Amino acid sequence: MAEVDYSTLKKGGFMRQKQKDNFSLRLAVVGGSLTAENLKKIAEVAEKYGDGYVHLTSRQGVEIPFIKLQDIDEVKDALAEGGCKPGVCGPRVRTVTACQGNRICPSGNIDTTDIAEKLDERYFGRELPHKFKFGVTGCQNNCLKAEENDVGIKGALNVKWKQDACIGCGLCAKVCREQAIAIEDGKVQVDYDKCNYCGRCVKSCPTDAWDTESAYLVSFGGTFGNSISKGEYPLPLITTEEQLFRVTDAAIQFFADNANPSERFKFTIDRVGKDKLYKVLKEAYDG
């Protein structure tokens, strides 16, 4: 019998189980979104080739346990019929997670699904010294816990008060949790040093007295495993998609160029120096 290449199988999403010649198959799920067709096919495969159930992972993934070694090729073909494909494991860019964003959620400031799909297309499966995770969350409610990721993207609203449309109700100041808004002589004053770009002022305004621009806050170096670290925000507000991807390109290239094998991004930053990373990021930010 030919020797089993477990490393290649793991790279393709088939993770060894305790049970001999059984694998838990991790599927590629971008931004937590699956179609009804996907779900039907996953259920069919779990019934026919697995043990009749699936596991939902902490990163919005779906795993089908108890796939038999001899069925792996059939399983991949069957899943492809339903628009599904295996995910990845090991030292490479993992599936991008995302909340529902402004397509669905009233609090959402950005189209998280669109950003997640573009990140996935740009980076998914890229070989790196260690695993690398992206998380996209729509607003400061931070449902996706952006700072837990190697790169976390948080939706923001860049706001500017429109005096002509304002009726002076003061509701924006009341709902601002950062105390960044004050009413002085009937005018709204925004302290942008305090503003976290949550957009609550805009969403509470009865007269649309704000000009707004969707934007991004990006954190770097988060981990949430054996070592827990919160990603940091070294850059100002990112206001265009082009600028966002310049920055993410720079971050992932810095990791590829500087990381030791089996070293997470956080520890590469600590070893090489934050200043060196932040210089690279700022250059990308400025274009």
Side-chain angles (χ1 to χ4, degrees), residues 10-273:
K10 182 177 180 180
K11 179 180 178 180
F14 289 88
M15 300 175 291
R16 293 176 71 178
Q17 292 183 202
K18 293 171 62 174
Q19 296 81 5
K20 182 176 173 60
D21 292 336
N22 280 262
F23 297 82
S24 187
L25 168 58
R26 177 175 295 168
L27 300 177
V29 181
V30 182
S33 294
L34 290 166
T35 66
E37 179 188 14
N38 296 154
L39 292 170
K40 289 174 185 176
K41 180 56 67 174
I42 291 166
E44 179 185 308
V45 169
E47 287 280 1
K48 184 174 181 179
Y49 297 101
D51 211 29
Y53 75 97
V54 300
H55 172 70
L56 302 180
T57 75
S58 61
R59 286 187 59 81
Q60 301 181 322
V62 175
E63 293 175 3
I64 308 175
F66 292 99
I67 300 297
K68 308 302 182 287
L69 178 62
Q70 67 269 18
D71 293 333
I72 283 176
D73 288 337
E74 288 186 30
V75 166
K76 288 193 285 188
D77 290 342
L79 286 168
E81 292 173 2
C84 301
K85 64 179 182 179
V88 296
C89 304
R92 47 196 59 90
V93 178
R94 302 294 183 84
T95 298
V96 181
T97 60
C99 69
Q100 295 198 82
N102 64 8
R103 290 188 185 183
I104 301 292
C105 179
S107 298
N109 293 326
I110 58 171
D111 188 340
T112 53
T113 300
D114 181 65
I115 292 297
E117 289 172 349
K118 288 173 178 174
L119 288 167
D120 180 80
E121 183 178 351
R122 201 175 187 96
Y123 303 121
F124 178 67
R126 175 173 170 174
E127 300 288 328
L128 291 168
H130 204 346
K131 60 187 173 184
F132 199 93
K133 298 177 179 179
F134 289 92
V136 187
T137 200
C139 67
Q140 287 290 352
N141 289 336
N142 206 10
C143 296
L144 249 292
K145 303 175 180 63
E147 294 87 357
E148 291 181 1
N149 294 270
D150 297 282
V151 173
I153 297 169
K154 185 179 292 183
L157 277 188
N158 197 10
V159 300
K160 184 178 180 182
W161 178 60
K162 296 189 296 184
Q163 182 174 357
D164 291 346
C166 181
I167 58 173
C169 68
L171 189 56
C172 55
K174 293 177 183 177
V175 301
C176 181
R177 294 175 175 176
E178 305 302 308
Q179 297 183 324
I181 296 177
I183 310 297
E184 299 177 4
D185 299 325
K187 295 183 179 181
V188 173
Q189 303 292 334
V190 181
D191 184 344
Y192 288 99
D193 290 332
K194 292 182 179 179
C195 179
N196 67 358
Y197 306 101
C198 68
R200 286 174 62 85
C201 53
V202 175
K203 289 154 189 166
S204 69
C205 181
T207 60
D208 296 325
W210 297 89
D211 282 327
T212 63
E213 177 186 30
S214 289
Y216 314 93
L217 293 161
V218 184
S219 61
F220 303 88
T223 59
F224 205 80
N226 291 306
S227 177
I228 298 175
S229 299
K230 183 179 178 181
E232 296 184 0
Y233 290 88
L235 295 174
L237 195 66
I238 292 175
T239 56
T240 69
E241 196 173 287
E242 178 187 3
Q243 189 180 42
L244 172 66
F245 290 127
R246 286 204 309 265
V247 167
T248 55
D249 282 350
I252 206 167
Q253 192 61 51
F254 183 92
F255 181 57
D257 291 342
N258 291 282
N260 292 326
S262 300
E263 181 179 63
R264 289 294 297 273
F265 190 30
K266 150 72 177 171
F267 303 111
T268 302
I269 296 169
D270 289 347
R271 177 175 54 79
V272 176

